[in-house]
Amino acid sequence: MGWEALGQWGDDVARIEPLAGGVANDVWSVRVNGHLAVGRLGVRSDADLAWETALLQHLDREGLTVPVPIPTTDGRLFADGLVVMTYMDGGPPETQADWRRVAGTLRELHRLTQGWPQRPGWRSSTDLLHAETGTRIDLGAMPAEGVARCRAAWARLAGRQTCVVHGNPNNPGNVRMTANQVALIDWDESHVDVPVLDLVLPDNAAGLDDGAYDIAAQASAAWEAAVCWGDEYAVKRLAEVRAV
């Protein structure tokens, strides 16, 4: 259906302008009943979108600042691949103090989602010690030597407690900060995994010790190489993962 689905949010709706939203979705600022919002149109399954919208509602109820799904006129949180969410004010983190606030917000996310079910179709990094595929990851497409390096990095996370991770919080564009709040946006890569994957932040703002930071950085580089495999960025990230 495409953007015609926006009509399911009422008669007073309109697209305004495109926003940066990554390669997987078409993201626009929209107006819904006189209020500025964000619409994201993609090809994720209903089960996937149900998981994400339920997560955002939970985090909002628990006091985290996140985009909240705006229901259609008949109460659905998404329709035909389209999700409409509240607009988040603020700018990106710029200083180490800003990034420390981001780290605190991420730790609160992790605390609030211990025991959360996995996003439908996804795998965690430690699942991929044995599985070959999960969502956008296909280890069979990578060179065997690269897979062995990635799995060696992920094996260092085995046995740890899992929770929801944002998936890409070190991208400044995924954070909206004001003096009073830190909002995490773009939850398209969120899934259940080991929380330290979210804490590889600029200037080690999460305050990890050397050993913990090395484990996290290696596992994170391996994850991004696997997720993005096929482009130059993935090759660069794999080069950061040490040989076995």
Side-chain angles (χ1 to χ4, degrees), residues 5-16:
L6 190 59
Q8 298 181 62
W9 274 261
D11 296 328
D12 183 15
V13 296
R15 275 193 294 168
I16 302 173

Side-chain angles (χ1 to χ4, degrees), residues 9-32:
W9 274 261
D11 296 328
D12 183 15
V13 296
R15 275 193 294 168
I16 302 173
E17 61 181 354
L19 302 173
V23 297
N25 300 287
D26 192 15
V27 183
W28 285 64
S29 59
V30 298
R31 190 182 69 249
V32 178

Side-chain angles (χ1 to χ4, degrees), residues 12-243:
D12 183 15
V13 296
R15 275 193 294 168
I16 302 173
E17 61 181 354
L19 302 173
V23 297
N25 300 287
D26 192 15
V27 183
W28 285 64
S29 59
V30 298
R31 190 182 69 249
V32 178
N33 298 321
H35 297 284
L36 185 63
V38 174
R40 190 191 75 198
L41 181 65
V43 295
R44 291 283 175 89
S45 69
D46 284 358
D48 183 285
L49 295 177
W51 183 94
E52 183 182 349
T53 51
L55 170 68
L56 293 173
Q57 285 187 319
H58 167 72
L59 296 175
D60 175 62
R61 285 193 300 266
E62 294 294 332
L64 226 58
T65 305
V66 296
V68 182
I70 299 170
T72 63
T73 55
D74 62 1
R76 289 172 294 154
L77 298 180
F78 52 89
D80 301 306
L82 178 63
V83 184
V84 177
M85 296 165 279
T86 53
Y87 183 86
M88 298 281 100
D89 286 319
E94 296 175 346
T95 66
Q96 187 177 36
D98 287 345
W99 281 109
R100 283 197 294 267
R101 291 174 63 199
V102 174
T105 300
L106 289 164
R107 286 193 162 105
E108 184 66 1
L109 160 68
H110 301 156
R111 184 186 71 81
L112 292 170
T113 56
Q114 292 179 16
W116 205 261
Q118 183 61 278
R119 192 169 192 151
W122 283 70
R123 306 276 191 184
S124 70
S125 54
T126 52
D127 289 336
L128 291 168
L129 295 174
H130 309 289
E132 290 283 324
T133 60
T135 318
R136 288 164 49 197
I137 291 177
D138 179 6
L139 296 182
M142 296 178 69
E145 182 269 343
V147 174
R149 284 157 58 196
C150 288
R151 284 178 162 162
W154 296 329
R156 298 167 79 191
L157 303 176
R160 299 193 186 192
Q161 187 176 45
T162 60
C163 60
V164 172
V165 296
H166 176 275
N168 192 17
N170 58 354
N171 177 352
N174 289 339
V175 184
R176 293 285 183 270
M177 302 187 69
T178 67
N180 300 316
Q181 66 184 33
V182 177
L184 298 172
I185 64 172
D186 192 358
W187 292 79
D188 205 43
E189 299 295 317
S190 58
H191 62 286
V192 169
D193 216 316
V194 177
V196 75
L197 289 170
D198 262 351
L199 299 179
V200 185
L201 299 174
D203 300 318
N204 189 21
L208 302 179
D209 65 38
D210 290 347
Y213 188 87
D214 181 71
I215 290 170
Q218 287 284 293
S220 178
W223 178 267
E224 291 195 355
V227 168
C228 302
W229 190 254
D231 64 20
E232 291 182 9
Y233 178 74
V235 173
K236 176 186 173 185
R237 293 297 270 155
L238 183 58
E240 298 172 26
V241 182
R242 284 191 297 272

